[in-house]
Amino acid sequence: MKIEKRPIFSYQTFKDSDTLGLIIQIYARSNKLNRGKELHGRLVRAGYKPSKYVDNHLLNMYAKCGQLGYAQKLFDRMRQRNLVSWTAMITALAQSSRSLEAIKTFCRMRVSGQRPNEFAFSSVIQASSSLGCIEIGRQMHCLSVKCGFSYELFVGSNLADMYSKCGEIYDSCKVFQEMPCKDEVSWTSMIDGYAKNGDSEEALLACKEMLGEGVAIDHYVLCSTLHACGAVRAHNFGKCLQSFVVKLGFEKETVVGNALTDMYSKVGDMDSAFQVFGNDSGCMNIVSYTSLVDGYVEADQIENALNIFLELRRLAVEPNEFTFSSLIKACANQAALEQGTQLQAQVIKFNFALDTFVSSTLVDMYGKCGLVDESVKLFNRIENPTDIAWNSLVGVFAQHGLGKEAIKVFDKMVLKGVKPNAITFANLLKGCSHAGLLEEGLNYFHAMESSYRVAPKEEHYSCIIDLLSRAGRLTEAEEFIKGMPFEPNAFGWCSYLAACRNHGDKERGEVAAQNLMRLEPENSGAHVLLSNIYAKERQWGDVRTVRKMMRDGSLKKLPGYSWVDVGNKTHVFGAEDWSHPQQMEIYVKLESFIDQIKKVGYIPQIDLIPYDIDDRMKEKQLRYHSEKLAVVFALINMPLGKPIIVKKNLRVCLDCHSAIKLISKVVERTIIVRDNSRFHHFLDGSCSCGDYW
């Protein structure tokens, strides 16, 4: 065992400040704290006369070795301090995340009459940024201008970074543009600031400009720019950046690989996302796997998402709260109750049951699977619900058409001091719309900005169009559209058009259809709704004209289909061209149900068929709609006590709605149907929507 010899210091060494400074500097750079402390102790014992030069080196050594307490004591005992002393202490405090103390020390320096240099400014600006204190940051900016340091590289870079981190991207950009020279640090700060503040296009432009000026890029720039690429779906630029990753040798860097995986996932290129790490799973961590899971979820590939989860578990990689949130979100979107309950068991196993973010997604998942009571139970277990949790519960009630309950939750949220946001109001307005709460919805819309300081966005205006349209207030909806600060989106026009069909307003329906066709020319929905309006008026010539437009534009009506989960298997039904091992049994049972419900008042709504055919054929077409087939199949196969939950990709038709109400009465069971906009709970001949949807 080799024993390191202790250095022997001569009397001459203690007299030579330059030599002492050099020795202490060596100890600081090599992180030899004990040697430095020993030397400091011998100086004290030898009665060494304090020297600002040596004390500054000792102060710097303690700070660099992470001994801020020693540094602070030494600084406080210094009889004389110069600019180096103050700057070293301010820098040490700022770099140790003691930002408030760094700012106070800077103020003490100013009171002492010492003029700060560029390094002191850089550190105190960093401290302001860490605290998110824009006002102090602005004061430091003004002082740096007064002292002539605002254009200095370090100060300018930190000012730009401070403004961007405080959300003042305009000021950050202005500082950056005024800098006479920029290095890779300042460019990186600017690109990162743009990306984190949602100005992704600007981040990409800044990266291109940086490359054009020949500034070297590192993995920080690549990660920030790849994040921006994902946000704006800039697939081609992202692929170009991957070539830089390979060229610069960063392909094995996990953080860069994660950024690439995330970028490809967000642009929907899951094949490339999966291939980023190739077969080298050793470079992957939970962030890598979660990016893949999230990408598959967004692509509606729930099976692949679950396979990634199984793979990471096989490799003993522990999932985090974001992994579970993405997977639960997938189950919510697909109304996959069985997988959702299994994931909840995993959440409990990995101790994420109390995580607010995960709990909020579970609240949403059970709501979208039709089990409102389970959502409420889960919400009540959350100790301190955040706005995300409150929004989830408001959204659950809204989707189930329980507008009054949604309002009660909103009132409780405000009473608890949780500030509602844009998502809260979107859910609340949808709840009012689905429940026919016209006045309440209008009042909340007008109170958004005046009472809650939430500016209404496109989605909120669309909710009001939907609210007025569902209520049959087509004239008011028209006036509202004319007074909007921007043009309605596709959802707004579609809501208005559907209401025109329901209320037989051909003229307004034609205007709505034209606008919807212009916004979404590839969407056949506008043509179908317009055709239905003409069919209701028995204008068969106009019906044929619309259908010709669809043929000429190669547009096809989106086929309606319904599905139900039975025995860990999803059974899908369509109105036409469907097959099933129990097909004949389903047909026989359906005929029986039709006979039974006719006896209690069911009358087929043949006027819903937009074709010039005889009534018998129209009734036959209505009979075999996908939701009826799925409901009958579920009643045959689902035991009593098990919830019957049928999902449909389109809005449930009026005839099926009437039929399922009466079927629920005949069989004395609750039947839940989730269509593309809301839930319907059928029981004892009535529906939770109150026939208002």
Side-chain angles (χ1 to χ4, degrees), residues 1 18 84 122 142 149 221 282 292 330 408 439 464 489 528 550 587 612 633 657:
M1 180 176 174
D18 290 336
V84 176
S122 296
C142 292
F149 291 119
V221 174
L292 285 173
K408 287 178 183 176
E439 294 305 320
I464 296 301
N489 60 16
V528 172
M550 292 179 68
Y587 277 144
D612 189 12
F633 169 77
H657 191 269

Side-chain angles (χ1 to χ4, degrees), residues 327-342:
L327 287 167
I328 294 165
K329 178 184 173 184
C331 295
N333 293 341
Q334 297 287 337
L337 182 59
E338 291 293 332
Q339 291 95 327
T341 52
Q342 290 172 24

Side-chain angles (χ1 to χ4, degrees), residues 370-617:
L371 304 181
V372 180
D373 290 343
E374 286 298 319
S375 290
V376 175
K377 285 178 187 176
L378 277 165
F379 178 83
N380 290 335
R381 290 177 195 157
I382 302 173
E383 288 187 9
N384 296 301
T386 62
D387 57 340
I388 299 172
W390 286 103
N391 289 345
S392 294
L393 191 60
V394 173
V396 166
F397 283 126
Q399 194 171 24
H400 285 265
L402 303 171
K404 291 181 179 178
E405 286 78 1
I407 289 173
K408 287 178 183 176
V409 173
F410 175 82
D411 290 341
K412 286 181 182 177
M413 175 183 182
V414 174
L415 195 63
K416 291 283 186 180
V418 180
K419 189 178 184 298
N421 55 29
I423 297 172
T424 317
F425 282 104
N427 289 336
L428 185 63
L429 293 174
K430 285 174 187 173
C432 292
S433 180
H434 287 312
L437 303 174
L438 180 64
E439 294 305 320
E440 292 89 340
L442 290 172
N443 289 338
Y444 280 120
F445 176 77
H446 293 304
M448 280 179 65
E449 197 154 20
S450 60
S451 301
Y452 301 99
R453 299 186 182 279
V454 178
K457 297 180 181 178
E458 190 179 71
E459 60 188 331
H460 304 104
Y461 280 93
S462 294
C463 286
I464 296 301
I465 296 172
D466 188 57
L467 178 73
L468 292 167
S469 299
R470 286 176 189 270
R473 306 281 191 89
L474 297 180
T475 303
E476 292 176 51
E478 183 181 26
E479 292 303 314
F480 182 80
I481 289 170
K482 288 178 181 177
M484 284 174 58
F486 38 71
E487 186 182 1
N489 60 16
F491 174 76
W493 284 119
C494 191
S495 299
Y496 188 54
L497 176 56
C500 292
R501 178 200 62 183
N502 294 340
H503 296 282
D505 193 327
K506 186 182 77 170
E507 287 73 21
R508 288 192 175 97
E510 288 173 335
V511 173
Q514 288 168 7
N515 281 286
L516 185 54
M517 290 175 194
R518 179 174 51 81
L519 287 176
E520 293 187 346
E522 74 288 348
N523 186 352
S524 63
H527 299 80
V528 172
L529 287 169
L530 184 60
S531 175
N532 289 344
I533 291 174
Y534 290 139
K536 197 171 183 179
E537 298 288 323
R538 305 189 71 81
Q539 295 178 244
W540 302 116
D542 290 329
V543 171
R544 285 190 287 273
T545 300
V546 173
R547 288 190 185 141
K548 185 177 183 300
M549 287 172 60
M550 292 179 68
R551 286 195 301 272
D552 293 344
S554 300
L555 296 176
K556 291 184 177 180
K557 180 183 176 182
L558 184 66
Y561 59 90
S562 302
W563 67 99
V564 61
D565 297 318
V566 176
N568 291 324
K569 186 178 179 182
T570 301
H571 300 261
V572 183
F573 301 90
E576 300 173 0
D577 300 327
W578 70 284
S579 61
H580 193 277
Q582 294 177 255
Q583 187 173 36
M584 290 310 300
E585 187 181 359
I586 294 167
Y587 277 144
V588 170
K589 194 69 173 176
L590 177 59
E591 294 296 335
S592 172
F593 281 141
I594 295 295
D595 290 340
Q596 291 178 67
I597 63 177
K598 278 185 175 180
K599 292 176 183 177
V600 291
Y602 170 66
I603 300 173
Q605 300 183 40
I606 57 175
D607 59 320
L608 296 173
I609 302 297
Y611 300 108
D612 189 12
I613 56 178
D614 64 65
D615 292 351
R616 185 176 57 84
M617 289 297 294

Side-chain angles (χ1 to χ4, degrees), residues 122-168:
S122 296
S123 295
V124 77
I125 291 165
Q126 282 179 23
S128 304
S129 177
S130 298
L131 290 173
C133 189
I134 187 69
E135 289 306 317
I136 293 177
R138 289 191 192 280
Q139 290 175 29
M140 293 303 118
H141 188 181
C142 292
L143 189 58
S144 68
V145 172
K146 184 179 178 181
C147 294
F149 291 119
S150 62
Y151 294 120
E152 201 281 328
L153 183 60
F154 288 149
V155 177
S157 295
N158 280 292
L159 279 170
D161 184 61
M162 181 272 297
Y163 280 122
S164 70
K165 284 180 177 174
C166 292
E168 301 290 340

